Amino acid sequence: MHTQILVRTKVKNNNWLSAMLLSTLTVATHVYADEQSGIEYSGSGFATFGLGKILGGAQGVVQDYNCPCFVTDFTQGGIYEGNNDVKWKPNTKIGVQGGVSFASRKFSVTGQLVSRGAQDGAVDLEWLYASYKLHDNVTLNAGRKRIPMFYYSDAQDVGVALPWTHLPSLYGWEAVNYNGVDLTYQSQVYDWSASGNVFAGNESVKDSAYWKTFLNGKQSRTDVKWNDIVGGNLTLAKDWFETRLTYIQSKTQQTYQDVVWNSATSSYDPASGAVYADAKQRIYGLAMNADYQNWLARSEFINIKHVGLGFDEFAQIVAAGYHYQKWQPMVTWSRYKGVATDPNLPGYAPDNSQEVLTMTLRYDLTTSSDLKLQLDGLKEHDAPYLGNARLLSFTYDKVF
């Protein structure tokens, strides 16, 4: 559970990679204890260097993107466009995390910085929260942390922890962090390991990358607020099986600050002001994963009900793979669908959906590094927005 007290901070730097590498020197990559003061310091880092090339798809200029286009990170604006060049920015990132523990480890502070090629080297403060252990199994957190919306939410920036070169579109939404408080619990229930948390807070996103890539266009500016966020999740694990249940609700608001893309005229229209102010949403999530002998399976489902707006969203992934020595081939099918529910409500829009078939080959160099090669095939249905595309991507992932 976490409390988030800081709002997102960005530091623009053209030489972003050098800046982040220098910042890693300020964080120890091991644990160091000062016995006199009773303070313990810890630190670590992670990096992904990615390359990708569009192999084909629907051609044309859409929302000022030179398509074929493939979005690898809706939240951060990671997108490959055009099929002429190999690009490195959309999947490349580097981050550091550090912590300080006090008083026999009952109180601690944790922070994380991440710099992404998709954001032109902006340094984001992703985590900064304080923790206090109330009991052996219960911890209170306060500050800034990741919204625990998905199975891989906490680790979604750490490439080594993921089976893909980039996250499936299931993980791409307009808000990813929050500022607030949460309470975590871990225990053993009969033969099951159980963990869960409950949390509350708010989040504001300036100039949302999600809305640039999803609907409003590259030149648009849309600010987002999630207020009165309340939710919780429960994870149960036994032997080779694990499942996770999630529920979140909040009020949402999008505010146009500049222009938005008009798909009917293929141009931008002036726009400003709040859209769907204080609209309510309810989020339901389910993940079921298995690691049996050398076989692995991953599945995750999410349903977002936009109460009073006239549409719902559904997303899911189903994956299966096999681990042979240092190799791991895996096939993943993912799907997103927006469903219109009432044409008389303000958010009504035609149904739209997309499916992605993904083939991934992973090779573990060491316990802390890997190489991945991945082929994605995207097909859009109903009301398309960027069109079909095929992407070949490669990543080198490392934790240090």
Side-chain angles (χ1 to χ4, degrees):
M1 322 228 45
H2 324 299
T3 307
Q4 327 260 61
I5 30 183
L6 297 184
V7 292
R8 181 169 180 163
T9 302
K10 289 194 174 186
V11 179
K12 291 290 185 182
N13 190 328
N14 292 330
N15 195 356
W16 70 277
L17 186 57
S18 297
M20 282 304 295
L21 286 173
L22 287 172
S23 73
T24 65
L25 299 178
T26 68
V27 181
T29 58
H30 58 279
V31 176
Y32 169 73
D34 185 332
E35 296 181 359
Q36 291 184 343
S37 64
I39 299 175
E40 186 177 273
Y41 306 91
S42 63
S44 61
F46 54 89
T48 292
F49 177 71
L51 297 173
K53 187 180 189 304
I54 294 285
L55 300 181
Q59 296 189 356
V61 177
V62 183
Q63 302 175 17
D64 270 359
Y65 294 105
N66 180 28
C67 293
C69 300
F70 193 100
V71 181
T72 59
D73 192 335
F74 281 91
T75 304
Q76 307 299 340
I79 181 170
Y80 288 91
E81 55 178 315
N83 56 3
N84 296 323
D85 303 318
V86 174
K87 296 180 174 61
W88 63 271
K89 282 188 175 183
N91 286 345
T92 298
K93 69 191 77 170
I94 185 169
V96 292
Q97 179 169 310
V100 182
S101 298
F102 306 88
S104 302
R105 300 184 181 179
K106 280 195 172 184
F107 179 74
S108 64
V109 177
T110 302
Q112 184 186 93
L113 296 172
V114 181
S115 181
R116 299 179 177 86
Q119 294 284 341
D120 292 328
V123 179
D124 293 348
L125 178 63
E126 296 289 345
W127 311 72
L128 185 58
Y129 63 95
S131 302
Y132 185 78
K133 187 174 286 293
L134 300 174
H135 184 269
D136 288 345
N137 298 330
V138 182
T139 303
L140 175 67
N141 305 280
R144 180 165 183 77
K145 207 178 178 186
R146 190 66 40 85
I147 298 174
M149 194 168 169
F150 307 105
Y151 180 78
Y152 286 106
S153 284
D154 285 354
Q156 67 183 56
D157 284 322
V158 185
V160 170
L162 306 176
W164 309 281
T165 60
H166 58 84
L167 288 167
S169 58
L170 169 81
Y171 280 73
W173 301 99
E174 61 184 7
V176 68
N177 297 320
Y178 79 106
N179 305 301
V181 296
D182 75 280
L183 197 67
T184 60
Y185 177 80
Q186 292 182 320
S187 185
Q188 195 77 16
V189 181
Y190 297 105
D191 295 334
W192 292 80
S193 297
S195 63
N197 76 346
V198 290
F199 58 95
N202 300 285
E203 172 66 331
S204 296
V205 180
K206 300 294 184 182
D207 196 12
S208 167
Y210 172 87
W211 285 106
K212 289 179 185 289
T213 54
F214 181 65
L215 191 62
N216 294 341
K218 185 189 295 188
Q219 305 303 321
S220 68
R221 172 172 172 168
T222 307
D223 295 344
V224 171
K225 288 183 179 180
W226 283 22
N227 293 322
D228 302 335
I229 302 171
V230 177
N233 60 74
L234 174 66
T235 301
L236 298 171
K238 180 180 178 181
D239 299 329
W240 48 267
F241 177 75
E242 184 178 31
T243 186
R244 184 177 188 268
L245 296 168
T246 303
Y247 174 77
I248 302 170
Q249 67 179 37
S250 74
K251 295 178 181 178
T252 67
Q253 177 180 302
Q254 297 86 42
T255 302
Y256 298 154
Q257 299 291 356
D258 194 1
V259 294
V260 295
W261 179 261
N262 186 329
S263 58
T265 62
S266 296
S267 61
Y268 285 97
D269 290 341
S272 64
V275 182
Y276 316 144
D278 291 334
K280 295 181 180 179
Q281 67 176 1
R282 298 192 183 108
I283 303 170
Y284 304 86
L286 169 66
M288 294 183 291
N289 298 326
D291 289 271
Y292 183 73
Q293 295 181 355
N294 289 335
W295 291 95
L296 64 121
R298 300 287 182 267
S299 65
E300 194 161 0
F301 309 86
I302 190 166
N303 172 211
I304 302 183
K305 295 186 177 296
H306 297 276
V307 182
L309 291 184
F311 72 101
D312 291 343
E313 294 178 284
F314 301 86
Q316 61 200 72
I317 57 171
V318 178
Y322 186 82
H323 196 81
Y324 176 72
Q325 296 180 359
K326 293 187 175 184
W327 296 92
Q328 182 178 291
M330 190 173 72
V331 176
T332 305
W333 174 79
S334 60
R335 183 172 186 252
Y336 166 84
K337 187 172 182 64
V339 179
T341 58
D342 190 338
N344 298 313
L345 293 176
Y348 177 82
D351 290 357
N352 64 93
S353 64
Q354 61 173 239
E355 294 180 87
V356 181
L357 182 62
T358 300
M359 292 178 287
T360 309
L361 181 62
R362 172 174 177 156
Y363 180 78
D364 292 322
L365 295 170
T366 67
T367 56
S368 60
S369 63
D370 67 50
L371 300 172
K372 298 194 197 93
L373 184 66
Q374 183 165 304
L375 178 64
D376 293 284
L378 164 67
K379 286 190 176 182
E380 292 193 335
H381 308 284
D382 303 317
Y385 71 101
L386 288 178
N388 299 343
R390 298 188 306 277
L391 173 71
L392 181 66
S393 57
F394 167 84
T395 57
Y396 165 70
D397 304 306
K398 173 72 175 176
V399 295
F400 50 89

